[in-house]
Amino acid sequence: MTTSVLVPSSLVREAEDRREATRKLGYVARAAVVFRADRLTVFPDPAGAGKWEDGFVETVLRYAATPPYLRKEVWGKRDELEYVGVLPPLRVRSQTGSGSEGSGSLRQGIVTEVGADGRVRVNCGLQHPISLPVPSAMEVPGEGERVTVRVSSRRPVRAKLVDEPLTGYLVDTADVDTALERSDAGFAIAASRHGEELGVDRLGQLVERRTDAGHMTVAFGAPERGLPAIFGLDPDDAVPDGTGDDDAGFDLWLNTVPNQGSEVVRTEEAMFATLASLTLTE
């Protein structure tokens, strides 16, 4: 099952400074990791743009998703990353295989050199970059490309390239229509206080529906600019329910904090509340 999360480029529009904006994005990244999101897509919201550079949200989220041992080599120094020291650690759980051929932990690596002998030199956070043969079933990765390495021993170093997904989440940009047309979009939900209120009985139905769909996509709005405003919908006319022309392409509009005590639920708070409910098992 693939879980995709959509957030707008206006996500940090209310932040007073770059430090606060970076901290907010750190909690968005934490929510994505805690609930095992596979993809975090930033969709454009030019009408809600704040004072931050184009690409600021995507850049910080990409940086947060990069393992600490690769950040310096991948990112160097950039203005957008001035305050990344305030990002909370993600501590993505390492995936562990079983059996003599598959034992060891999976790590991200970055190719630093491509040889002519079917080998590549990879920095994967060990003491030094390591030279590894490229399996015959894999295409030879290019310099700067990220790869997955299974490390079975550090002393002595024993590792191999494997054709397996990278740990953590991937970050990309796409408009909402494109994101919802993906083959793994699955059950598409718009999180909004104007949506159907989530209750105990309804939750079981939604979890079953998500399981049947095989994949799930959940979209969130921005501060003082929820999804209806972003999509040009009037929530006072009718609550979009996924059955009409005003649903913006979603199967369901859902309010996962129906009894909120604050006038505003922040995007990162909505992510924790929504994903905690929708990733429950039957």
Side-chain angles (χ1 to χ4, degrees):
M1 176 180 292
T2 298
T3 299
S4 300
V5 175
L6 312 183
V7 295
S9 59
S10 55
L11 181 59
V12 292
R13 63 195 303 267
E14 91 294 4
E16 295 183 358
D17 54 38
R18 200 189 299 271
R19 183 186 183 93
E20 181 184 345
T22 302
R23 189 189 302 277
K24 180 185 182 74
L25 292 172
Y27 289 115
V28 169
R30 281 285 299 171
V33 167
V34 168
F35 297 106
R36 295 182 178 272
D38 301 282
R39 181 192 294 120
L40 194 51
T41 296
V42 181
F43 64 87
D45 177 27
K51 54 190 173 183
W52 312 112
E53 311 94 326
D54 288 342
F56 173 79
V57 170
E58 180 191 2
T59 297
V60 175
L61 290 176
R62 283 184 183 274
Y63 179 92
T66 304
Y69 53 83
L70 293 180
R71 288 174 175 173
K72 183 177 180 180
E73 181 162 350
V74 172
W75 293 102
K77 290 186 177 181
R78 301 180 59 164
D79 291 343
E80 305 99 301
L81 304 176
E82 180 180 5
Y83 290 106
V84 291
V86 305
L87 291 171
L90 299 188
R91 299 181 63 86
V92 179
R93 294 184 63 182
S94 174
Q95 299 179 18
T96 302
S98 59
S100 59
E101 293 297 319
S103 61
S105 61
L106 293 181
R107 297 172 66 84
Q108 280 193 42
I110 184 169
V111 176
T112 59
E113 183 180 344
V114 179
D117 54 355
R119 301 179 70 90
V120 292
R121 186 169 293 276
V122 179
N123 177 2
C124 58
L126 302 179
Q127 187 172 3
H128 302 288
I130 55 177
S131 177
L132 298 172
V134 179
S136 57
M138 288 180 58
E139 293 186 8
V140 177
E143 185 173 333
E145 189 173 337
R146 297 192 202 187
V147 293
T148 303
V149 178
R150 186 177 291 280
V151 180
S152 56
S153 172
R154 294 195 177 201
R155 294 185 181 179
V157 174
R158 293 192 179 93
K160 62 181 180 180
L161 291 180
V162 292
D163 189 11
E164 298 187 37
L166 300 174
T167 55
Y169 62 88
L170 300 177
V171 180
D172 66 1
T173 58
D175 59 54
V176 173
D177 289 341
T178 299
L180 295 182
E181 290 173 356
R182 290 168 173 161
S183 60
D184 60 356
F187 185 28
I189 298 172
S192 170
R193 65 187 179 92
H194 300 289
E196 172 189 335
E197 293 189 356
L198 179 62
V200 175
D201 294 337
R202 184 67 167 125
L203 177 58
Q205 298 171 2
L206 295 181
V207 170
E208 182 178 357
R209 188 172 176 183
R210 179 213 67 193
T211 302
D212 291 341
H215 305 288
M216 178 175 68
T217 298
V218 188
F220 298 88
E224 299 180 356
R225 189 168 170 78
L227 290 178
I230 290 175
F231 298 135
L233 303 176
D234 186 349
D236 294 330
D237 289 343
V239 175
D241 60 3
T243 62
D245 296 332
D246 61 349
D247 57 17
F250 293 93
D251 296 311
L252 179 69
W253 286 64
L254 189 65
N255 179 2
T256 56
V257 192
N259 297 311
Q260 65 188 64
S262 173
E263 292 182 0
V264 177
V265 175
R266 297 175 178 176
T267 305
E268 62 272 29
E269 296 168 338
M271 286 182 65
F272 276 98
T274 304
L275 297 177
S277 300
L278 297 177
T279 56
L280 291 173
T281 55
E282 294 186 70

